[in-house]
Amino acid sequence: MGSLSRAECEGLDARDPLAAVADEFPPGDPGWLYFDANSIGAMPIAAHRALGRVADEWRRLRRRGWSDADWLDGPVRLGNKLAPILGAEPGSVVVCDSTSVNLYKALRMAMTLRPERENIVAEAGAFPTDLYVAEAAARDQLAGGSLMRVEDANALAERIDRDTAVALVTHTDYRTSYRHDLASLVRRAHTHDALVVCDASHSAGAVEVGLAAAGVDFAVGCGYKYLCGGPGAPAWLYVAPRHQAQAESVIPGWMGHAEPMAMDPHYTPAEGARRHLAGTPSVAGNALMESALDLWRDVEPQAAFAKHKALSDLVIRVVEDLPSPRPMLAAPRDPARRGGFVSFRHREAEIYVRALETAKIVASYRAPDIVRFGVSPLYHRYVDVWTLGERLRSLHPERSQ
Amino acid sequence: MGSLSRAECEGLDARDPLAAVADEFPPGDPGWLYFDANSIGAMPIAAHRALGRVADEWRRLRRRGWSDADWLDGPVRLGNKLAPILGAEPGSVVVCDSTSVNLYKALRMAMTLRPERENIVAEAGAFPTDLYVAEAAARDQLAGGSLMRVEDANALAERIDRDTAVALVTHTDYRTSYRHDLASLVRRAHTHDALVVCDASHSAGAVEVGLAAAGVDFAVGCGYKYLCGGPGAPAWLYVAPRHQAQAESVIPGWMGHAEPMAMDPHYTPAEGARRHLAGTPSVAGNALMESALDLWRDVEPQAAFAKHKALSDLVIRVVEDLPSPRPMLAAPRDPARRGGFVSFRHREAEIYVRALETAKIVASYRAPDIVRFGVSPLYHRYVDVWTLGERLRSLHPERSQ
């Protein structure tokens, strides 16, 4: 295959159907190369305009902003813009709260739909917060449930049985980028009439999640990684349409009421996913998130996922083209099993990531030995991967023979 | 007493120790007079700078923002800035989530501290979301609790007995602006070893809440009214220091872990109020909220509350100086029993509030007959109340004899 050439990358950029989207992002600090989409996605230029608009509405409209501006509709409007990116049905997604809070709601809802069952099953290596929240949700189940931690993806599928209320799956592993086969897990779970709750934080906006096609029951994820919603962006919650009428709101606040402004002393849930909203939406957070979601207006999600796959394959190629000793691929080589970032093992991973910064490369480290390069189909150009390769090579000089 | 004169108000402004703070707010739409601090507080000029700073950090630092900028410390740092305004102990307040989510956490925590008791007692006229959330929290109590709705403030105190786990109090009524005597309610509750959870949304930043002095156990409130944190600002949660070690986190996310970034598969709660954080903080929301809290840096809370009382008394005076038929005072005349706004009854309240808009006055309406004027000690000037009086008078022409 040979070394990746700049000309090859420029050719790929010239044919990239998403090339214009990358122009919607301002450059970062001069000369820096950001491969940290897994920690936080880049800021769209439109984010500035969005913040200016919120400030202007706040200053001028004040309380009339609640009625005259589009503040209160944000969670549902943004959910509908996000749904196609997740492969979700219209009306099944709301943008609200944090991933942790949404996961708590999703797990409690799911357990309420399986009241006679006791267990949540999850991988021991799931994202830690997922496990903390699952333990709390299991403890709060009236029957007194518990969280069963299993070894790995295979064990997760095998452990599901008729005592399982919920299989909780972190869609993409935050260290290895291993991406679960959701459809297969859901089939196994549904065979035993168990439900699947999925945290797709490290997948959404980068790779196919395909919630509806896989038959996932509930899902959550954050807005600030590949979705580019900004630091601490509002998270999202998916409720499969078949559960929407039965799934009661766990934290029933006014925004989930059928008539939020009627000040009804008794709670009547709204139809659809909206009932799972609790408090007043974060208007500034939603404005940033919406400016990022609007970048997808002319983007075919499958085209974005194909570009992400091609970029990720190139990242593997430039790293594997380095002279040894070099970082060793930790992520699956099969792109269908890989999430939003490409990860490698390195004995001195933390030091290596700091060394990358001396070459103006932002990557990220996870203990004990993981180096992660987060790849965005929206703002990365193929030539960025060529530059990454050149800079990495400068840190890995050929040994003189 | 006679009509309020412009000169009198200008004199009050000249002697106002908070006069300089009002200059920290830009004017709204030209000629408009905003008395809707109860629905949403005004935007500080510094809010623009704060948003610019977040955008700049996001663009430049990316994932390094999580470590190099002050994003992750926000909830605790802002809580400590807010604490004196609430009369709360240092380290007892965190800024996070929405009021609804924080109330759910507070009620569940409180009920866990009184596991053998069944009931939450609240006024039937409490803020509706408070009641929805209380019903959910009672339902989720393992013993199977319930929410008891009582008639009014007196009934609330009387109903507390040895079956009461929690007395939930909406500190200031959202229609009448009646402000509960927290110290007296807490004394009554603690006599029966019941706990008090308080929603101070319509008080915080306008009038004295005095959480520590009153002995309140848990409290919550929103950030977007008198605290001027912007539309959908992050809310706050107070946990009395004596409960901090025992009160377990209801939604244990990574931000409440003793070492959030250690990726520990098992949850170890942080010390103090921080353990009640769940997900990643809203960085843009916190930046706006902090720019508003920083306005209090040189403000003595008692001076702000005294100014609020004086302004509110003047609002009553200009309305009561109108020729009849005029709106009739609904709020308590005693400022110690009044919350952040002054409310009046009017048979055609909704139409009246719309008529006020024709005179460029923003007030607010609550069914069936309430007109509310929200008063801010930070940005209202005494002369604003004089202008309010003049404009109201233009809508209430003297009848020719």
Side-chain angles (χ1 to χ4, degrees):
Chain A
M1 189 147 59
S3 286
L4 185 67
S5 75
R6 179 168 190 125
E8 183 180 349
C9 287
E10 286 173 345
L12 289 165
D13 282 322
R15 292 188 300 278
D16 174 13
L18 276 76
V21 181
D23 295 334
E24 300 292 328
F25 291 85
D29 261 358
W32 281 81
L33 207 52
Y34 297 84
F35 278 93
D36 55 349
N38 51 301
S39 292
I40 180 167
M43 184 183 75
I45 293 170
H48 266 293
R49 278 198 303 278
L51 290 176
R53 188 173 66 90
V54 168
D56 191 55
E57 288 171 347
W58 177 13
R59 183 185 59 78
R60 287 191 309 107
L61 295 175
R62 295 280 294 276
R63 75 133 169 85
R64 293 168 296 164
W66 298 121
S67 52
D68 297 3
D70 56 7
W71 296 351
L72 287 183
D73 291 340
V76 170
R77 187 176 68 249
L78 272 63
N80 282 328
K81 291 182 179 187
L82 176 56
I85 304 169
L86 304 172
E89 303 87 342
S92 63
V93 179
V94 280
V95 168
C96 60
D97 294 323
S98 66
T99 313
S100 304
V101 170
N102 285 334
L103 181 61
Y104 181 79
K105 294 191 284 192
L107 287 169
R108 289 281 317 279
M109 273 190 272
M111 295 194 82
T112 305
L113 295 177
R114 294 293 178 272
E116 73 291 355
R117 297 184 175 202
E118 290 168 5
N119 301 329
I120 298 176
V121 184
E123 277 181 279
F127 190 68
T129 285
D130 292 354
L131 297 172
Y132 311 157
V133 172
E135 221 144 46
R139 174 197 69 200
D140 288 348
Q141 181 68 350
L142 295 184
S146 64
L147 171 66
M148 320 280 289
R149 298 174 189 235
V150 301
E151 197 59 34
D152 58 18
N154 286 334
L156 181 62
E158 282 164 22
R159 182 62 191 75
I160 298 169
D161 61 22
R162 302 212 63 92
D163 291 331
T164 309
V166 179
L168 166 63
V169 57
T170 303
H171 188 213
T172 292
D173 186 280
Y174 72 103
R175 291 150 307 196
T176 63
S177 199
Y178 174 80
R179 171 159 52 116
H180 278 263
D181 178 348
L182 279 183
S184 144
L185 183 73
V186 167
R187 267 195 307 275
R188 167 85 190 182
H190 286 184
T191 301
H192 294 285
D193 208 25
L195 298 171
V196 171
V197 176
C198 171
D199 175 355
S201 291
H202 273 293
S203 311
V207 298
E208 179 145 33
V209 183
L211 294 172
V216 170
D217 297 288
F218 300 92
V220 302
C222 79
Y224 57 82
K225 299 183 192 293
Y226 307 95
L227 293 171
C228 299
W236 54 269
L237 170 67
Y238 166 80
V239 180
R242 64 188 172 281
H243 297 310
Q244 286 177 10
Q246 291 77 40
E248 286 187 18
S249 179
V250 174
I251 305 177
W254 60 342
M255 292 299 134
H257 192 284
E259 294 186 67
M261 290 300 149
M263 301 291 152
D264 180 356
H266 295 277
Y267 183 74
T268 306
E271 294 293 316
R274 190 162 79 75
R275 68 173 56 176
H276 304 293
L277 301 179
T280 308
S282 167
V283 175
N286 280 351
L288 290 174
M289 183 78 178
E290 188 161 18
S291 68
L293 290 172
D294 282 341
L295 295 173
W296 290 78
R297 212 175 330 207
D298 301 318
V299 172
E300 174 58 47
Q302 291 302 330
F305 305 151
K307 179 180 175 186
H308 181 273
K309 169 191 170 305
L311 286 165
S312 302
D313 284 344
L314 283 187
V315 169
I316 294 173
R317 185 168 150 201
V318 300
V319 172
E320 296 198 328
D321 200 38
L322 295 170
S324 64
R326 60 172 175 257
M328 300 304 292
L329 186 65
R333 203 171 287 278
D334 175 5
R337 294 279 66 77
R338 209 164 55 213
F341 58 94
V342 186
S343 72
F344 299 87
R345 291 190 197 282
H346 190 288
R347 271 172 40 172
E348 299 289 350
E350 189 167 16
I351 291 168
Y352 188 76
V353 166
R354 257 183 273 141
L356 295 181
E357 293 192 20
T358 66
K360 294 198 169 181
I361 298 168
V362 184
S364 68
Y365 157 74
R366 279 291 172 253
D369 60 352
I370 292 287
V371 179
R372 306 183 297 180
F373 295 93
V375 174
S376 165
L378 297 184
Y379 57 80
H380 278 130
R381 295 179 173 88
Y382 291 94
V383 76
D384 293 332
V385 184
W386 175 80
T387 310
L388 174 68
E390 290 300 293
R391 293 192 188 176
L392 289 175
R393 189 178 301 275
S394 75
L395 295 169
H396 288 264
E398 296 277 355
R399 296 218 177 123
S400 50
Q401 305 294 316
Chain B
M1 188 147 59
S3 287
L4 185 67
S5 75
R6 178 167 191 124
E8 184 180 348
C9 287
E10 286 173 345
L12 289 166
D13 282 322
R15 293 188 299 278
D16 174 14
L18 277 76
V21 181
D23 295 334
E24 300 292 328
F25 291 84
D29 261 358
W32 281 81
L33 207 52
Y34 297 84
F35 279 93
D36 55 349
N38 50 301
S39 292
I40 180 167
M43 184 182 75
I45 293 170
H48 266 293
R49 278 198 303 278
L51 290 176
R53 188 173 66 89
V54 168
D56 191 55
E57 288 171 347
W58 177 13
R59 183 184 60 77
R60 287 192 309 107
L61 295 175
R62 296 279 293 276
R63 75 135 168 84
R64 293 168 296 164
W66 298 121
S67 52
D68 298 3
D70 57 7
W71 296 351
L72 287 183
D73 291 340
V76 170
R77 187 176 68 248
L78 272 63
N80 282 328
K81 291 182 179 187
L82 176 56
I85 304 169
L86 304 172
E89 303 87 341
S92 63
V93 179
V94 281
V95 168
C96 60
D97 294 322
S98 66
T99 313
S100 304
V101 169
N102 284 334
L103 182 61
Y104 180 79
K105 293 190 285 192
L107 287 169
R108 290 281 317 279
M109 273 189 272
M111 295 194 82
T112 304
L113 295 177
R114 294 292 177 273
E116 73 291 355
R117 297 184 176 202
E118 290 169 5
N119 301 329
I120 299 176
V121 184
E123 277 181 280
F127 190 68
T129 284
D130 292 354
L131 297 172
Y132 310 157
V133 172
E135 221 145 46
R139 174 197 69 200
D140 288 348
Q141 181 67 349
L142 295 184
S146 64
L147 170 67
M148 320 281 289
R149 298 174 189 235
V150 301
E151 197 59 34
D152 58 19
N154 286 334
L156 181 62
E158 282 164 22
R159 182 62 191 75
I160 298 169
D161 61 22
R162 301 211 64 91
D163 291 331
T164 308
V166 179
L168 166 63
V169 58
T170 303
H171 189 213
T172 291
D173 187 279
Y174 71 103
R175 290 149 307 196
T176 64
S177 199
Y178 173 80
R179 171 159 51 117
H180 278 263
D181 178 348
L182 279 183
S184 143
L185 184 72
V186 168
R187 267 195 307 275
R188 167 84 190 182
H190 287 185
T191 301
H192 294 285
D193 208 25
L195 298 171
V196 171
V197 175
C198 171
D199 175 355
S201 292
H202 274 292
S203 310
V207 298
E208 179 145 33
V209 183
L211 294 172
V216 170
D217 297 289
F218 300 92
V220 301
C222 79
Y224 57 83
K225 298 184 192 292
Y226 307 95
L227 293 171
C228 299
W236 54 268
L237 170 66
Y238 166 80
V239 179
R242 65 188 171 281
H243 297 310
Q244 285 177 10
Q246 291 76 41
E248 286 187 18
S249 179
V250 174
I251 305 177
W254 60 342
M255 292 299 134
H257 192 284
E259 294 186 67
M261 289 300 149
M263 301 291 152
D264 180 357
H266 295 277
Y267 183 74
T268 306
E271 294 294 315
R274 190 163 79 75
R275 67 173 57 175
H276 304 292
L277 301 179
T280 308
S282 167
V283 175
N286 280 350
L288 291 174
M289 184 77 178
E290 189 161 18
S291 67
L293 290 172
D294 282 341
L295 295 173
W296 290 78
R297 212 175 328 207
D298 301 318
V299 171
E300 174 58 46
Q302 291 301 330
F305 305 151
K307 179 180 176 186
H308 181 273
K309 168 191 171 304
L311 286 165
S312 302
D313 284 344
L314 283 188
V315 169
I316 294 173
R317 186 168 150 200
V318 300
V319 172
E320 295 197 329
D321 200 37
L322 295 170
S324 64
R326 60 173 175 257
M328 301 304 292
L329 186 65
R333 203 170 286 279
D334 175 5
R337 294 279 66 77
R338 209 164 55 213
F341 58 94
V342 185
S343 72
F344 299 87
R345 291 190 197 282
H346 190 288
R347 271 173 40 173
E348 299 289 350
E350 189 167 16
I351 291 169
Y352 188 77
V353 167
R354 256 182 273 140
L356 295 181
E357 293 192 19
T358 66
K360 294 197 169 181
I361 298 168
V362 184
S364 69
Y365 157 74
R366 279 290 171 254
D369 60 353
I370 292 287
V371 179
R372 306 183 297 180
F373 295 93
V375 174
S376 165
L378 297 184
Y379 57 80
H380 278 130
R381 295 179 173 87
Y382 291 94
V383 76
D384 292 333
V385 184
W386 175 79
T387 310
L388 174 68
E390 290 300 293
R391 293 192 188 176
L392 289 174
R393 190 178 300 276
S394 74
L395 296 169
H396 289 263
E398 296 276 356
R399 296 216 178 126
S400 51
Q401 305 294 315

